[in-house]
Amino acid sequence: MPLGFTAPFVLSALILLPVIWWLLRLTPPRPRQVAFPPTRLLLEIEKREETPEKSPWWLTLLRLLLAAALIFALAGPVWKPAADVVPKDGPLWLIMDNGWSSAKSWEAQSELAARLIETAGTQGTAVLLAATADGANQPLVPDAAGVAGERLRAFEPRAWPTDRASLSTTLRAAATQQPPGAVIWLTDDLSDQSSEAFVRDLGTMSGDAPITVYGGLDLPTALAGARNDADALTTTVLLRDAAVGSEIVDIRALDLKGRVLSQTQALFDPGTTESEARFELPVELRNDVARIEIASEQSAAGTQLLDDRWRRRTVGLIAGTSSDLAQPLLSPLYYLRRALEPFAELRIPREGDLAKAIPELIDAGVSVLVLADVGRLPATAEETLADWTENGGTLLRFAGPRMAGGTDELIPTRLRTGDRTLGGSLSWEEPQTLAAFGAGSPLAGLDVPSDVTVNRQVLAEPSPDLSERTWAVLADGTPLVTAAGRGNGRVVLFHVTADTNWSNLPLSGSFVEMLRRIIATSDVARAGNTAQGAAAETASTSPMLPPLRLLDGYGRLTQPGNDALPIAADEIGDAAPSKKHPPGLYGADDAFRALNLLDNGDKLEPLDLSPLEARMERLAYPTAGPTDLMPLFLLVALALLLADAIAMLALRGEYDRIRQVMSGRTAALLIAGAVALSASTDLRAQESSDDLFALDASLDTRLAYVVTGDVEVDAASQAGLYGLSRYLTQRTALEPEAPIGIDITRDELAFFPLLYWPVTTAMQAPSSETMARIDAYMRNGGTILFDTRDQLNAGLQTFGTTENGAHLRRMLEDLDLPPLEPVPPDHVLTKAFYLLDFFPGRYAGSPLWVEAIEQGDQTGGRPVVAGDGVSPIMITGNDFAGAWATDETGSYLYPTVPADPLQREYAYRTGVNIVMYALTGNYKADQVHIPALLERLGQ
C-alpha cells in the first residue's frame, strides 16, 4: 500500500466529522455589524436579506476539510512506508552481507539496516546484528537497538568474501537461549563456499520466525586473474548477471607509483558474463605494471595486484653444441623453447663461442641463463658467469654426455664422473619414475606424472647437505633436480638432459610447470641470503611473509590491521582471501607477493535460496525511502484556515481587512511557516541526536577516540580505551564510563579533555573547517594523542618517515603547533601517577612527543619542570590502544611486540599517566613546594 500512518488510531477521529458538520450547519456565521448613525441616516441603509440562520454549505465543507486535514496530519501519514518486519516476541536477527560485493551499494544496504534497527527501537525490540564477513568473533547476542546502531556505524564492506557458515555455531547457541522473533537477511545475492550449509542452518535454527531476504544489489564488476602472455598482458573481467546489451568496461594498468601506463576496454556481448582486457605493450613496460583496476569501480574485486611472478623473465638459452640445428627435434633447445615461450622472453646468442655468448646474454639483461649439456666452461666465461650469479642471476643447467665427462665449479653439488644407465642390456636396474615433490621444495604441489621415466642420469656425490639441496628425486631416492645458493643468486641442475635422450620428461606437461616454478623463483634469489632465499635453497622451511599493505573493501591499499596474519611464501599462491589473510601485498617493500581476491577460472555464482523458498519473503532493496506527508497535510490545513478566515471576513463585508490578510507580509509569514513545518521533522531528529550525545559525553567522564572509518582501527581504539577505563577503575579513584567514538567533523569536542586519534591513511585529511575546530579545541585546553601505530616500520626514526607519519604531517601542516620534543626525564608525565622513564604501547621503540618546554633558570635542584598547562598534542607510534585492548572478559586482544607481560603493564601505566596529566595538569610539579608551604603555615 503506497500510503501508511505511524499513528493510525488517530484516524478514528474521522467518525466525528458528521457531528462537526451538524454543529457547523446549525451555527450561523457571525452577524454583520453596522454602526448606528443618527436617525436621519436610517433611510440610507440599504435593505439586505437578513442574516441566514444556518452556515452556508460551502463554508461547512471548507471547515470539514480543515478538520480532516488536521486529523490526517496527526495520524502521521507516510508515502510508501517501509514494510519492516518487527517481531512481537523475541529479538530481531539482522544479518548483513558485508563482503567485497557489498562495496558498490553499501550506502543503500546500511541505510536499510539503520531504518530496520530504528523501527525495532521504537517497538522496544532487541536486535542481534551479524556481519557475515566478520566471522564468529563478534558479539552475536541480542542487544538494545541503540547499541546495534552504534555497531552498524562501525561496519564497512570487507575486501574478502563472506563466510556465512562461520556464524552458524554462535547463532545456534543464541537461538537456544532465546529464539528469534523475526529474521531479516540483507544479502549481496552472491554465493560463497559455505552458503549452501548456512541457508540450511538458518532455516533450522530460526524456528517458526518469519524470514525476510532483501536482494537485488548492484554488484561491482570484478577482475579474475591476470596473465602476462607473449604478446599482451591479459585480465579476465566478470559480471554476475549476463549483459543485457553491449557493455563496455574501462580497464587501466598502473605502476608502483600509481601512474597510468595504459588503458583499454573490455567488451561484453549481450548475454555474456565474461570478457577479456588486453594491454598490448612492450614487455619492458608490461613488467612495470603493478596494478590493474576497473576505472569506474571502487572495490577489492575490481583490482588485481601484480608482483614479480607476473613479470616475463628474460631467459638466455645456450646448448653445448649446435650441430643438431638441421634436425630440431634432436636439439635440447627445441624442447626448452617450447616449454619456456608461453611465460618468458627468450634470447639465443649470435655467437657460438661460449666465451663470447655468455657475456652477450648477460649484457642483454637476462635474469635466467640456461645451459644445456655444457660440461666445462672456458675460464673467462666461468668467471663472468660466477660474478653474474653472485649478483642475483639464476643459472639453470641440464646434464648430458659432456657434463658426465667432467664439469666446472658452477654446479649445486659435486657429481660422480660418468653417468648411470637404467634399463639397458648391461643394467640390472629398471627405468625410474619420479617421486612426489617434497613439501619444502619450490616444486611442491605439482602433479607427479606416472608415465615419466628416467633411463639415464648423472649422480651426485653423497654429502651431509645433499638432501637440503635436493628439489626433486626419483623413486629410488637419487636426485633429479638439485639447487644451491651462490651469493645473491642460485644454481639449479637437472640431472637429465633437456631432450628425450635420457628421459621422456621434456615431453610431459610437468616439465613446463617445473620450469615455470624455477623461473618464477629467480627474483627470490635476488633478495640475497635472507630467510626467503635460504628457505628456497634448503627446501626445508618456507619463509613467512608479513602483511605489508592490504586492500580495503573499496580497493584502496591501507596499512594492515591487527587481525591480518603472515602467510607462508609457498602457500600464498593457493591461499584464499579471508579475514586472517585479506587481499593485498605480503612481504617487504623490495620483495613482496600479491594475494588477489579472484584468480584465473573463478566465477561469480548467484546465491541459492531454494531451501528457504517455502517460508521466506523475498524483497528488493528500496530505491527511495518513505516520505513523511505530515508537513504537507499541515500546510493544507494552514491554507484552509486562511481560506476560512477570508470567507468569514467576506461574509461580514470587511473587504479592507481581506486586503490586509492578503498583503505581502502576511503571505511571507505563511510561506515561512510552511517551510518551518516541512523541516521540523529533520530538526527534531537532529536536535534529539545532538542532545543525547551531549548528555552521554557530559554527565559521565568518558575517554574518547576519533572515528577514522576503518572498522578494524576503530574497533581496536574502542577496545583499547575500554581496557584502559577498566584499569583506571581498578587502580585509581577515577571511574570512567564506556568510551565513546566521535566524528571529528561534527561532534562537539569540548566535552573531552583528551582525544585518542589513531592515524590511518584510509582516513581522508580533514577539511579546513574541521582543522579550525581542532585548532580551537587545542588552544582552549584540549589534548589530542596521535598514534601512528607504525613503530615497527619506522624503527628508531622520527615520526613522519612512514606512510601514517607522512599522513599525519600533511594533516597538521596548516596548524600553528608548538615545538615538540620527546618527553624529558623531568616532565610531569614521568610522575603524574606512576614513576615512568619510558612510554611503551604494543610496541616499545617510539618516543612520546609532547610540547617542548623552554628551559629557564631553575634553582634548588627542582626535580620536575613546571609548565603553564598541559601539552595540546602528543604523538607516538607505539600503538597504545593495541596494548590496552581487552574484550568483555578482560582477555587481551593483541600481543605486545615482543611478547612481554611487563611491557603491557607499563603500557597501562603510561595510559594512566596520560589521563591524569590531561585531567589534572601540572599539579605534580607543585608537590615539591609542600614543605615550604607547611612551614609558612606554621604546621
Side-chain angles (χ1 to χ4, degrees):
M1 182 177 178
L3 183 63
F5 297 89
T6 58
F9 62 89
V10 178
L11 295 177
S12 60
L14 291 174
I15 62 177
L16 299 177
L17 287 180
V19 178
I20 297 174
W21 172 83
W22 181 74
L23 292 175
L24 292 176
R25 189 77 178 92
L26 294 180
T27 304
R30 184 179 178 184
R32 179 184 180 187
Q33 294 180 354
V34 179
F36 185 72
T39 307
R40 64 184 181 83
L41 299 177
L42 292 175
L43 298 176
E44 298 180 6
I45 299 178
E46 298 180 3
K47 293 182 179 181
R48 300 283 184 91
E49 291 185 3
E50 295 182 357
T51 301
E53 60 177 309
K54 296 182 180 180
S55 177
W57 68 267
W58 54 269
L59 183 59
T60 302
L61 177 62
L62 184 67
R63 291 176 175 176
L64 288 176
L65 291 176
L66 172 60
L70 287 174
I71 293 172
F72 273 97
L74 294 176
V78 179
W79 181 254
K80 293 185 177 179
D84 298 336
V85 178
V86 178
K88 297 180 180 178
D89 299 316
L92 169 65
W93 282 15
L94 182 56
I95 303 172
M96 291 184 66
D97 284 343
N98 65 327
W100 65 265
S101 53
S102 62
K104 189 172 184 179
S105 303
W106 180 249
E107 184 176 355
Q109 193 174 3
S110 57
E111 285 180 357
L112 175 58
R115 194 190 73 206
L116 293 170
I117 292 175
E118 182 181 1
T119 303
T122 59
Q123 303 295 329
T125 302
V127 179
L128 186 152
L129 181 62
T132 58
D134 290 352
N137 190 21
Q138 53 181 311
L140 298 180
V141 292
D143 216 329
V147 177
E150 288 291 336
R151 288 188 56 219
L152 175 64
R153 281 190 283 274
F155 280 6
E156 266 194 341
R158 301 298 194 175
W160 53 86
T162 57
D163 185 13
R164 301 180 177 109
S166 64
L167 306 179
S168 295
T169 302
T170 310
L171 289 178
R172 191 176 294 109
T176 302
Q177 295 181 0
Q178 186 178 13
V183 178
I184 299 179
W185 184 5
L186 309 185
T187 72
D188 58 9
D189 294 322
L190 203 63
S191 178
D192 61 34
Q193 296 179 351
S194 60
S195 295
E196 184 177 352
F198 177 75
V199 170
R200 291 197 306 268
D201 291 342
L202 184 63
T204 302
M205 57 193 172
S206 60
D208 297 330
I211 299 177
T212 304
V213 179
Y214 283 87
L217 281 179
D218 187 11
L219 291 183
T221 308
L223 299 179
R227 305 184 309 277
N228 200 349
D229 299 325
D231 55 346
L233 176 63
T234 306
T235 183
T236 303
V237 189
L238 299 179
L239 297 176
R240 186 199 61 180
D241 301 320
V244 178
S246 297
E247 295 188 20
I248 297 177
V249 179
D250 293 325
I251 316 291
R252 59 190 182 190
L254 300 86
D255 63 8
L256 278 173
K257 296 183 178 180
R259 296 173 297 196
V260 178
L261 300 179
S262 180
Q263 186 159 332
T264 186
Q265 291 181 332
L267 176 63
F268 287 89
D269 294 328
T272 61
T273 60
E274 184 175 322
S275 182
E276 281 194 348
R278 292 170 53 86
F279 297 95
E280 297 180 353
L281 301 170
V283 64
E284 294 80 8
L285 203 55
R286 277 186 274 143
N287 286 344
D288 288 338
V289 175
R291 177 186 179 111
I292 304 174
E293 65 181 18
I294 300 175
S296 59
E297 296 284 354
Q298 288 186 342
S299 73
T303 302
Q304 282 284 311
L305 302 176
L306 309 184
D307 55 39
D308 288 343
R309 292 173 296 173
W310 278 270
R311 294 183 179 179
R312 287 183 65 85
R313 274 58 169 193
T314 303
V315 179
L317 301 179
I318 297 178
T321 178
S322 59
S323 59
D324 295 330
L325 290 180
Q327 302 180 30
L329 292 180
L330 302 179
S331 170
L333 294 186
Y334 170 79
Y335 298 96
L336 290 172
R337 282 177 176 173
R338 296 293 299 271
L340 294 172
E341 278 178 348
F343 55 88
E345 297 294 316
L346 304 182
R347 300 285 188 269
I348 297 178
R350 294 185 298 270
E351 295 287 343
D353 184 2
L354 292 177
K356 296 181 179 179
I358 290 176
E360 176 187 338
L361 292 177
I362 292 176
D363 292 341
V366 297
S367 55
V368 180
L369 186 58
V370 181
L371 302 181
D373 192 18
V374 175
R376 296 184 184 274
L377 290 166
T380 57
E382 182 179 357
E383 182 179 356
T384 302
L385 195 54
D387 292 341
W388 173 78
T389 305
E390 291 180 355
N391 288 328
T394 298
L395 176 61
L396 175 59
R397 305 189 70 169
F398 286 84
R402 294 173 180 79
M403 181 172 286
T407 184
D408 47 62
E409 297 298 323
L410 292 178
I411 51 176
T413 185
R414 293 180 58 192
L415 301 177
R416 293 182 180 180
T417 304
D419 58 79
R420 173 196 184 196
T421 302
L422 305 171
S425 58
L426 300 179
S427 172
W428 294 94
E429 299 178 276
E430 295 294 329
Q432 293 292 312
T433 58
L434 273 63
F437 299 107
S441 168
L443 308 178
L446 293 179
D447 294 333
V448 179
S450 59
D451 56 343
V452 170
T453 57
V454 175
N455 51 44
R456 198 171 180 181
Q457 69 179 134
V458 292
L459 290 175
E461 286 283 359
S463 64
D465 60 349
L466 179 60
S467 60
E468 296 179 353
R469 301 186 177 205
T470 302
W471 283 5
V473 297
L474 298 180
D476 62 358
T478 56
L480 175 66
V481 181
T482 55
R486 190 179 183 93
N488 290 337
R490 181 182 295 118
V491 179
V492 183
L493 171 64
F494 275 75
H495 291 240
V496 294
T497 58
D499 55 24
T500 56
N501 287 332
W502 286 18
S503 75
N504 61 352
L505 177 63
L507 300 177
S508 169
S510 297
F511 184 63
V512 178
E513 294 303 319
M514 292 171 72
L515 291 178
R516 185 192 299 272
R517 291 280 186 94
I518 294 172
I519 299 301
T521 61
S522 60
D523 65 302
V524 177
R526 296 180 183 275
N529 291 327
T530 61
Q532 186 172 348
E537 293 172 13
T538 61
S540 59
T541 59
S542 178
M544 300 301 293
L545 304 180
L548 178 61
R549 284 184 295 276
L550 303 178
L551 291 174
D552 64 5
Y554 298 102
R556 302 170 300 197
L557 281 173
T558 61
Q559 292 294 324
N562 295 319
D563 292 334
L565 301 178
I567 306 180
D570 59 352
E571 296 177 0
I572 195 168
D574 300 322
S578 64
K579 183 179 181 180
K580 294 182 178 180
H581 303 306
L585 303 178
Y586 290 78
D589 285 324
D590 56 350
F592 56 80
R593 286 286 179 262
L595 176 63
N596 288 301
L597 181 63
L598 299 175
D599 204 350
N600 293 310
D602 288 342
K603 304 291 184 183
L604 303 183
E605 300 293 340
L607 180 62
D608 182 14
L609 295 172
S610 55
L612 299 175
E613 199 68 39
R615 51 175 302 196
M616 76 171 182
E617 180 182 9
R618 189 71 182 266
L619 300 176
Y621 284 94
T623 56
T627 303
D628 185 7
L629 298 181
M630 178 185 285
L632 177 61
F633 277 93
L634 290 177
L635 184 62
V636 171
L638 184 63
L640 292 173
L641 182 62
L642 176 63
D644 181 83
I646 295 173
M648 291 299 297
L649 293 175
L651 288 175
R652 298 205 304 264
E654 299 179 12
Y655 299 105
D656 291 338
R657 296 189 63 183
I658 294 177
R659 284 192 292 271
Q660 293 177 3
V661 171
M662 297 303 295
S663 65
R665 180 178 299 178
T666 305
L669 289 175
L670 290 172
I671 294 174
V675 173
L677 284 173
S678 64
S680 60
T681 303
D682 294 337
L683 288 175
R684 285 195 300 271
Q686 181 64 37
E687 290 172 0
S688 175
S689 175
D690 291 342
D691 290 344
L692 289 175
F693 176 83
L695 290 174
D696 286 342
S698 59
L699 293 181
D700 297 298
T701 302
R702 297 176 185 270
L703 303 181
Y705 64 93
V706 175
V707 176
T708 64
D710 187 318
V711 64
E712 292 183 359
V713 174
D714 294 341
S717 298
Q718 184 178 27
L721 296 188
Y722 174 76
L724 180 59
S725 298
R726 292 183 58 171
Y727 190 90
L728 285 164
T729 302
Q730 295 168 0
R731 301 296 180 92
T732 73
L734 177 64
E735 298 181 359
E737 292 297 323
I740 188 171
I742 66 167
D743 183 347
I744 198 68
T745 63
R746 182 179 63 85
D747 292 334
E748 177 57 55
L749 308 181
F751 298 121
F752 310 101
L754 175 67
L755 292 181
Y756 177 76
W757 190 329
V759 179
T760 172
T761 55
M763 183 179 184
Q764 295 183 353
S767 63
S768 57
E769 292 81 5
T770 302
M771 295 308 296
R773 298 178 74 242
I774 295 171
D775 183 63
Y777 169 75
M778 292 194 293
R779 288 182 184 275
N780 292 320
T783 298
I784 300 181
L785 172 57
F786 292 99
D787 194 342
T788 57
R789 306 169 297 107
D790 54 5
Q791 188 275 327
L792 285 184
N793 295 331
L796 297 178
Q797 305 175 38
T798 60
F799 66 88
T801 58
T802 62
E803 285 191 21
N804 285 351
H807 186 62
L808 177 59
R809 281 187 178 273
R810 290 191 295 270
M811 286 171 50
L812 302 180
E813 61 185 1
D814 294 331
L815 289 182
D816 183 18
L817 295 177
L820 303 180
E821 65 176 354
V823 174
D826 55 354
H827 197 277
V828 179
L829 269 171
T830 62
K831 51 182 61 186
F833 194 87
Y834 291 105
L835 297 179
L836 299 175
D837 55 5
F838 76 120
F839 304 91
R842 190 179 177 204
Y843 316 119
S846 172
L848 178 59
W849 295 81
V850 296
E851 178 182 0
I853 300 176
E854 295 184 4
Q855 301 292 328
D857 294 335
Q858 300 179 23
T859 60
R862 183 179 178 129
V864 294
V865 174
D868 292 334
V870 178
S871 174
I873 182 173
M874 298 185 226
I875 300 176
T876 184
N878 283 337
D879 190 8
F880 285 162
W884 301 333
T886 63
D887 58 18
E888 295 180 355
T889 64
S891 301
Y892 302 124
L893 297 182
Y894 310 111
T896 59
V897 180
D900 183 4
L902 187 60
Q903 178 176 323
R904 190 184 301 276
E905 174 63 24
Y906 275 104
Y908 275 117
R909 295 185 178 188
T910 296
V912 172
N913 276 24
I914 290 174
V915 172
M916 292 300 174
Y917 174 61
L919 292 177
T920 62
N922 60 357
Y923 84 102
K924 275 287 185 177
D926 295 327
Q927 299 301 307
V928 295
H929 297 301
I930 288 181
L933 292 173
L934 293 177
E935 182 180 354
R936 290 187 178 184
L937 291 173
Q939 299 180 8

